[in-house]
Structure formats: C-alpha cells, structure tokens
Amino acid sequence: MIRWSLTPVLFAALTAAAVACPFCTAVRPSLSQVLYDAPQAALVEVISGDEKDWQFHVSKPLAGAEHLPSSGTVRLAADQLIGSSGLKVGQLALLWATAGLETSRLTWEATPLDEVSFAYIARAPDRRLPTVKRLGYYARFLEHANPLLAEDAYLEFGNASFDDVAQVATQLPMDSLRRWIVDPAVPEARKGFYGLALGLAATDEDRRANRAVLQKLVDAPSDDFRAGFDGVLGGYLLLAGGEGLRHLDEQLLANPQARSGDLRHAATALRFMQEFGRDQLSQEELNSALRRLLARPEVAASAIVDLARWQDWESLDAVAALFARKEFADASIAQAIVGYLKACPLPAAAEKLARLRQLDPQRVAAAEQAGLLLPASR
C-alpha cells in the first residue's frame, strides 16, 4: 500500500479532535492551566493600590509558594501589574506571574473575585491529577450563575479529550443540558460541547429524551450559521446510529437545498464518528454518507481529502470526474482530486491522473505543487 501524509496545517486541523473536544470553539486555557504554568500564583486580598504600586495579602498560595514573600505580602510596582482595573482595597483577587521572554523580571496579572469564585478556585482539584478525576468537580459549575465559573468549567471540558469526557458522562447533568442547548441565553459557542455531551447519556430514559431534543435541532430551519451544530449532529449520531445517519442523509447530505454551513457541520460530525463512533456506524456507512458531499462544490474539496484519509477508493471514478466540471474548477478542489489520485494505490488511479495531465497539464502541475496530499510515490 502506498503511504501518504497530509500537509502539517491540514493534518493539525483534522486531528484536533484527538487532542481536545472536537466541537468546542475558540477554546483557551482554563484557570487551572494558567496557574499550572505560572511560576507564582496566589489567591489574595488587595491591601492598597495606586499609580505607583500595589500590595496584596496572600490568602492561599497556588503556585511557587517557596518564592512568595515570607511576610505574606506581595508588593508590586504599578508597571509590573497587568489588569489592575476593577481592583479595590479589600477586594479578593487571583494574582499570578508570567515570566518575561527577554528579561528575568516577572510581570503579574490580577483578576477580581467574589467570595464564590474565590472558593471555586481554592477548592479546585490539583492539576496534576488525571483529567477524569478532575472533571467531576467542574461538571457542577457548568452554566453557573457566576460567569467566571461557568466559562471556566466549560473550558475545562473543552480542553479535555473526548475519551476523558466520555468517562465522566454519568456525572454530567443531562436534564440541565437539554435545557441549555435550546436556551438562547446560553452562549452559542458552548452548545457544540453540550450537543456532544447529550450523546453520551448512559440511561435509556436520558438517551430517548436527548435524542428527541437533538433531532428537533437537526430538523429546525437553518439560517446557514448554527454555532455548535456540528456537536449537535455528533451527539445525535452517537444516540441514533444508522437510523440517525439515514435521517441526516435525508435532511442534509442528499438535500440540494441544504445550507453550506450545515453541510460543513455534517462533515465534521462524520469525521468525529469515523474516529470515535465506529461502534455505531460502519466505515462503509460513513463513506457512503460522505460521498454525498461530492455533489456540492463548496464542500467537495474537504470531502475528497477525507475520503482519501479513509482510503475509500470506491469513490475513484466520482472524484476523478469532478476535474472536468466547470462548477468544480476551484484550485482547492483540483488539489484534492490530484492528491486523491496520487494516494490511491489502484492502477486505474494512475491512468486517470495521466489523462488529467493531458487534459490540463498546467492545472494538474499547480495542484501537485500546492498539493493537500503529499504522496510518497508516483
């Protein structure tokens, strides 16, 4: 079999699901990650502060305790402190240091806290514990009334791997998740994760209820941008398996009126199922579903790349035929087609590539140079 690989950028994009939540957008470090990387950090109370300097009483060291002043008071020049707005005398705060890139002098950041967020950070599990032992703590704070806690709990799950989240699924509040995913007040960016989480329900009662909620979202009219819709589709497929895929095929994949954004979300959900949902869907079912997207120019390039990754060589004729169609003349599609043909080990692929070189040598040469797929031979 011919070996091939993806370009670094595309490879990173397509394998991100294995590293963190595959449906969580714009995930940044959680507080525990920030503090774990900080050379010094502490929960503090503001003693004083002005344009010259700030003083903080250390209530609980969180990192680098051996480097914090033995007096229990941290004094910083004003130009050392980032984010002092909102800090007042008597204010509780989280204070952490960041090592400078070009100097040994530390810079510090502070964020104001109330008593609830102070206690949340103080009681948080040690970052050195396995993720599955930590996530249960954060599950209790999803969509907490305190925005800092709600966002940070989401980030903990967003930065966790799918396997780790699946192991703590029984600790997730399924009743609440069903409410949150349809609540317009809940940030849209979190709903991809909530859709996925609903798909992990363990009890028959929750699985039926979650499937009903997700199917309503699948069937709802689209305005071409549904943040988190890929997670909704992924969770739905986890629950509904082959029956759900047939419904998705009817609603989206084989529907010429389906919105481009929804099709991109569907492709992401199929990639997820190919990696994590093979107990529910066979590779042939996934291949057949993805082939539907070859009919849509706006998503054809990514579909071709995925079919090559999945070594679906039954699509050879359909992929090669796109090269001559005017509506598929985009350079990214040509790159994907040529890459697919060079990755395919079948003799027919080499023959088709030779014919394309005769048909449009310049376009093939440009596609080979830019190539989404980098072959080891041919």
Side-chain angles (χ1 to χ4, degrees):
M1 182 176 295
I2 294 173
R3 295 176 61 84
W4 55 277
S5 61
L6 297 173
T7 60
V9 172
L10 186 62
F11 180 84
L14 294 178
T15 58
V19 177
C21 166
F23 304 118
C24 299
T25 58
V27 172
R28 61 182 186 276
S30 65
L31 287 175
S32 71
Q33 289 174 303
V34 170
L35 299 178
Y36 185 75
D37 293 333
Q40 297 179 48
L43 290 167
V44 299
E45 181 179 348
V46 181
I47 298 174
S48 64
D50 54 33
E51 69 278 1
K52 293 182 179 180
D53 60 32
W54 289 80
Q55 293 188 64
F56 303 91
H57 170 70
V58 176
S59 298
K60 181 178 181 178
L62 300 172
E66 67 277 14
H67 301 299
L68 292 170
S70 58
S71 64
T73 300
V74 175
R75 182 171 183 172
L76 302 174
D79 63 355
Q80 284 183 271
L81 184 62
I82 302 171
S84 60
S85 61
L87 294 180
K88 302 176 182 177
V89 173
Q91 172 82 58
L92 299 174
L94 174 62
L95 181 70
W96 71 95
T98 303
L101 296 177
E102 299 179 356
T103 176
S104 59
R105 189 187 192 212
L106 297 177
T107 56
W108 294 75
E109 297 185 49
T111 187
L113 302 174
D114 58 19
E115 292 183 356
V116 174
S117 53
F118 186 96
Y120 166 83
I121 296 171
R123 296 169 183 169
D126 192 313
R127 181 77 190 177
R128 292 168 294 185
L129 291 173
T131 302
V132 293
K133 293 186 178 296
R134 299 173 53 255
L135 287 178
Y137 175 79
Y138 295 103
R140 294 176 282 162
F141 296 95
L142 291 168
E143 294 310 312
H144 192 277
N146 184 307
L148 175 65
L149 276 57
E151 178 67 7
D152 190 62
Y154 163 73
L155 291 175
E156 286 288 344
F157 279 93
N159 284 304
S161 70
F162 170 76
D163 290 337
D164 284 341
V165 173
Q167 289 187 63
V168 300
T170 56
Q171 300 180 58
L172 293 171
M174 292 296 166
D175 287 344
S176 297
L177 287 168
R178 289 193 288 269
R179 294 196 307 272
W180 296 338
I181 203 164
V182 297
D183 187 346
V186 172
E188 293 294 316
R190 299 177 192 165
K191 292 186 176 180
F193 167 66
Y194 293 158
L196 170 64
L198 287 170
L200 297 173
T203 69
D204 290 342
E205 181 180 0
D206 277 330
R207 291 179 68 83
R208 285 192 297 269
N210 293 1
R211 177 174 172 174
V213 169
L214 293 176
Q215 184 161 325
K216 285 183 180 179
L217 293 173
V218 171
D219 296 344
S222 167
D223 61 0
D224 200 37
F225 181 78
R226 293 196 261 187
F229 191 53
D230 49 1
V232 168
L233 297 177
Y236 176 66
L237 290 175
L238 285 175
L239 293 169
E243 185 179 343
L245 184 59
R246 289 187 287 276
H247 184 71
L248 192 62
D249 185 70
E250 178 182 339
Q251 287 292 112
L252 296 176
L253 301 174
N255 179 5
Q257 304 303 316
R259 302 279 189 162
S260 297
D262 285 349
L263 293 179
R264 293 188 180 93
H265 285 311
T268 301
L270 292 176
R271 291 186 201 111
F272 165 75
M273 293 300 292
Q274 198 274 339
E275 184 165 0
F276 297 109
R278 296 291 293 280
D279 290 341
Q280 290 87 346
L281 296 172
S282 69
Q283 186 63 58
E284 181 52 40
E285 287 178 304
L286 292 165
N287 290 349
S288 297
L290 192 61
R291 289 172 199 150
R292 295 284 200 181
L293 300 184
L294 295 177
R296 297 290 293 266
E298 63 270 42
V299 292
S302 64
I304 294 168
V305 171
D306 283 326
L307 289 170
R309 289 177 61 244
W310 298 354
Q311 300 184 28
D312 172 37
W313 311 128
E314 291 183 26
S315 299
L316 175 60
D317 291 342
V319 170
L322 298 179
F323 193 86
R325 294 176 57 179
K326 292 183 179 179
E327 65 269 37
F328 291 85
D330 185 84
S332 66
I333 299 177
Q335 292 164 13
I337 293 170
V338 170
Y340 178 99
L341 295 177
K342 297 184 76 172
C344 179
L346 302 178
E351 296 171 4
K352 290 180 182 296
L353 183 58
R355 285 197 290 271
L356 295 187
R357 287 194 176 106
Q358 293 177 344
L359 177 68
D360 195 335
Q362 291 184 341
R363 190 170 164 218
V364 172
E368 287 183 297
Q369 183 175 5
L372 287 177
L373 293 170
L374 302 177
S377 62
R378 195 185 294 155

